[in-house]
Amino acid sequence: MGIIKVENIRVFAYHGCLKEETKIGSDYRVDLKVKANLLASAKTDELSDTVDYVLLNNIVKEEMQQASKLLETVAQRILKRIFKEDHLVKKATVSVSKLNPPMGGDVESVTIKMTERRKN
């Protein structure tokens, strides 16, 4: 087994429960960690034998563009697509952070983190 991380994916999106958030948008940070068997790719040196981190990045960017009220909903969509589109992933963790959230205080970010395992 091995771990692939894609960290600090920065996107601008329109998530939130407040009407203003869905109009003006916010900056977000997404971090991914996936667990997969990387032994084959270490031997073959072929992209087709590993988890493509470009694919992971694209999944995040695409799912972040679909507005949702809750970050949990966005994270769940990202996890679902990762397992659907890459059969090598056995476990995935996604963290979605809203930077400078409108909370009436000086808060750098709020983050939700969700983990799923492949169900076989």
Side-chain angles (χ1 to χ4, degrees), residues 71-83:
L71 298 181
E72 293 90 324
T73 305
V74 180
Q76 187 61 51
R77 281 199 318 262
I78 291 169
L79 289 169
K80 186 176 180 179
R81 275 205 49 205
I82 288 170
F83 287 112

Side-chain angles (χ1 to χ4, degrees), residues 55-95:
L55 171 68
L56 297 176
N57 184 57
N58 287 338
I59 289 171
V60 168
K61 291 192 306 187
E62 289 169 12
E63 292 303 326
M64 287 295 291
Q65 292 313 305
Q66 182 181 334
S68 295
K69 291 179 187 173
L70 301 178
L71 298 181
E72 293 90 324
T73 305
V74 180
Q76 187 61 51
R77 281 199 318 262
I78 291 169
L79 289 169
K80 186 176 180 179
R81 275 205 49 205
I82 288 170
F83 287 112
K84 179 182 177 188
E85 295 187 27
D86 196 312
H87 68 282
L88 293 175
V89 174
K90 302 297 180 202
K91 181 179 175 184
T93 300
V94 61
S95 297

Side-chain angles (χ1 to χ4, degrees), residues 3-61:
I3 293 173
I4 295 175
K5 293 182 179 180
V6 184
E7 299 177 306
N8 199 21
I9 303 168
R10 288 164 289 185
V11 291
F12 188 85
Y14 299 88
H15 307 297
C17 293
L18 301 175
K19 188 175 181 181
E20 297 80 23
E21 292 177 291
T22 61
K23 286 187 178 182
I24 63 172
S26 298
D27 290 309
Y28 294 84
R29 172 188 167 152
V30 180
D31 296 296
L32 284 180
K33 181 169 102 172
V34 300
K35 195 174 212 180
N37 185 340
L38 303 179
L39 293 176
S41 60
K43 290 178 184 175
T44 66
D45 200 30
E46 294 294 331
L47 181 59
S48 60
D49 292 329
T50 193
V51 177
D52 183 354
Y53 50 81
V54 173
L55 171 68
L56 297 176
N57 184 57
N58 287 338
I59 289 171
V60 168
K61 291 192 306 187

